[in-house]
Amino acid sequence: MFGDMMGMMGKLKETQQKVEATKKRLDSVSLEEHSPENLVKVVITANRKVKEITIDDSLFIDKEQLEDYLVLTINKAIEKATQVNEAELAAVAKEGMPNIPGMDGLFK
C-alpha cells in the first residue's frame, strides 16, 4: 500500500513537471487570427499572450470600425489560443494520471 502511494506521488510529480514544461513550450507556439478582409491580424501565443497586432492603414480613418475589428479579432485569437492550451494541458494531465477507480471518466 505504501509503495503504491509513493509510486502515485512520484507519477503526480512527474506529471506536474510535464505540465510545467508544456506551459513553457506553449509560450513559443504562435497562432494567427485575422479580421474580415484581413484588415487586422493578431499573433498570440498558446498561453494567450498577444505578441503582435497589425492594422491596415484603411482602418485609421474609421475609429469605430478599427475598435470593433480589434475586439473581434483579439477575442477570436484568445479563444483559439485557449482551445490549443487546454487541449495540450489536458493531454499531458490525462497521460500522467494514475489509475484510480472511478476517476477515468473525468478525462474523457
Side-chain angles (χ1 to χ4, degrees):
M1 176 71 183
F2 184 72
D4 288 349
M5 189 64 142
M6 291 302 290
M8 277 179 34
M9 295 302 285
K11 184 93 167 150
L12 289 173
K13 185 170 180 65
E14 181 182 318
T15 299
Q16 184 179 10
Q17 289 170 342
K18 285 182 181 178
V19 166
E20 291 305 314
T22 299
K23 284 181 182 179
K24 190 170 188 171
R25 182 178 58 79
L26 291 175
D27 274 334
S28 66
V29 175
S30 291
L31 306 163
E32 277 188 25
E33 189 60 55
H34 299 268
S35 70
E37 297 104 40
N38 292 324
L39 297 177
V40 173
K41 177 180 92 172
V42 173
V43 178
I44 190 169
T45 71
N47 280 330
R48 298 175 295 268
K49 300 269 189 267
V50 175
K51 301 295 270 182
E52 177 185 332
I53 297 175
T54 307
I55 302 167
D56 188 272
D57 289 343
S58 66
L59 285 174
F60 289 116
I61 56 175
D62 187 345
K63 182 178 185 283
E64 194 172 303
Q65 184 181 19
L66 171 57
E67 291 169 346
D68 289 347
Y69 274 24
L70 281 171
V71 169
L72 172 79
T73 310
I74 291 170
N75 282 331
K76 283 172 51 181
I78 291 169
E79 186 177 313
K80 183 187 282 185
T82 298
Q83 289 171 351
V84 170
N85 184 287
E86 289 175 354
E88 291 283 329
L89 292 177
V92 172
K94 182 178 180 187
E95 170 189 310
M97 286 302 291
N99 268 341
I100 302 171
M103 294 292 282
D104 59 340
L106 294 177
F107 295 101
K108 288 185 180 174

